[in-house]
Amino acid sequence: MKKKIFVILICMILLCVVVAKIVLSNTKVVTNISSHVSEASKTLENEVKSQKTEEYVDENEMKIGLYIDEGNRKRLVKEYYCDFSAENIMGIFYAIPTLEEEIVRDDFKTIFDQYYHEYVNYNNYKIGYNIKFTLDSGETINQIVLNPDDAYLLFPKVQCYLYDDIHLIPGRSYYHITQDIMNDERICSSIKLVGDKNTRNIVSPIELTVFTFDGEDDFTPMTKKYRGNSSYTILIYEK
């Protein structure tokens, strides 16, 4: 009888030891998990702080407007009406670094340089566009246009062409910029919109925005949309 009791006591002691080890082991696991969670939280917190300290600040003070030729002057556009028919030239819009209501027409380079050179580090700034509209299918097009390849993405909803009126070559016919000659020296100083086969399917005004930028930080990392201060928007309506 005593022998049986002794065996039972030994078994109970062993069982207690095993249970204690399991509890201790689980405690270590929980501690390790807590430690990892804490480290991850600190890392995330540091990343958030880092992003805040690198918050985007735009110091670009350049004004920019969209103009059309009108008689012997160029007029700042706010709203514009045109035919949305296929192959119809909807409009040619000139980007000039000012917001004056009208400018007496002269050689475009002379006009452009007059305002462009007023700004510090003007050579660092390029001109880009954004075109936004809604189709009858409900689809909204919101396209950044920095070069001819971007413009081509709008076909066949609307034809879009870019021109460099600053670096014209004497004797060469006036022609839109093609991707093979697009480089850092090019200034996309004007944009032409032409109706395409699906332009009739546009059910909203065409929102045309011009902007100036000097680097990738002027575009939001996720959407790649312009977020700077230097921009001007017009609405193009079907008449």
Side-chain angles (χ1 to χ4, degrees), residues 62 97 112-119 122-125 187:
M62 185 176 290
F112 187 89
D113 286 349
Q114 173 187 343
Y115 299 103
Y116 193 48
H117 293 176
E118 289 181 358
Y119 296 93
Y122 62 87
N123 278 326
N124 294 338
Y125 291 101
I187 297 178

Side-chain angles (χ1 to χ4, degrees), residues 33-233:
I33 292 174
S34 299
S35 177
H36 287 308
V37 169
S38 178
E39 288 177 7
S41 298
K42 287 180 180 178
T43 301
L44 180 60
E45 184 179 349
N46 289 335
E47 288 181 0
V48 170
K49 286 181 179 178
S50 175
Q51 290 178 1
K52 286 183 178 179
T53 55
E54 297 175 5
E55 186 177 355
Y56 171 71
V57 176
D58 186 17
E59 297 179 350
N60 182 2
E61 297 180 351
M62 185 176 290
K63 296 176 181 178
I64 191 74
L66 285 171
Y67 291 76
I68 58 171
D69 271 332
E70 195 172 80
N72 65 343
R73 63 177 184 162
K74 280 188 166 57
R75 179 175 62 85
L76 184 67
V77 183
K78 294 172 183 169
E79 293 183 346
Y80 184 83
Y81 294 82
C82 64
D83 188 348
F84 279 22
S85 298
E87 301 305 324
N88 175 63
I89 297 177
M90 301 167 71
I92 301 174
F93 306 94
Y94 299 89
I96 304 177
T98 182
L99 290 174
E100 290 187 17
E101 290 292 329
E102 61 179 58
I103 303 169
V104 176
R105 193 167 67 179
D106 198 347
D107 171 68
F108 185 85
K109 177 176 171 54
T110 301
I111 294 173
F112 187 89
D113 286 349
Q114 173 187 343
Y115 299 103
Y116 193 48
H117 293 176
E118 289 181 358
Y119 296 93
V120 177
N121 298 323
Y122 62 87
N123 278 326
N124 294 338
Y125 291 101
K126 300 298 180 184
I127 296 175
Y129 301 87
N130 193 89
I131 298 176
K132 182 179 179 180
F133 53 82
T134 301
L135 299 169
D136 55 8
S137 64
E139 179 185 7
T140 296
I141 305 301
N142 191 5
Q143 179 64 48
I144 282 280
V145 178
L146 303 181
N147 55 58
D149 277 354
D150 291 338
Y152 185 74
L153 295 175
L154 289 162
F155 291 58
K157 303 170 186 70
V158 64
Q159 297 178 42
C160 177
Y161 302 96
L162 300 172
Y163 295 83
D164 182 351
D165 305 275
I166 313 304
H167 301 104
L168 296 177
I169 299 175
R172 178 176 290 187
S173 60
Y174 185 65
Y175 197 72
H176 62 267
I177 303 169
T178 53
Q179 192 63 37
D180 60 308
I181 62 170
M182 186 70 193
N183 55 45
D184 289 340
E185 301 302 316
R186 292 291 171 191
I187 297 178
C188 300
S189 57
S190 61
I191 184 170
K192 179 169 75 173
L193 300 183
V194 179
D196 210 336
K197 64 181 181 180
N198 291 341
T199 308
R200 280 292 189 187
N201 298 333
I202 299 174
V203 295
S204 69
I206 297 174
E207 188 177 295
L208 173 60
T209 299
V210 62
F211 55 84
T212 66
F213 66 100
D214 65 353
E216 292 184 2
D217 64 327
D218 287 320
F219 302 88
T220 56
M222 293 296 292
T223 66
K224 303 302 181 184
K225 297 302 179 186
Y226 180 73
R227 60 178 176 176
N229 299 323
S230 175
S231 67
Y232 183 83
T233 300

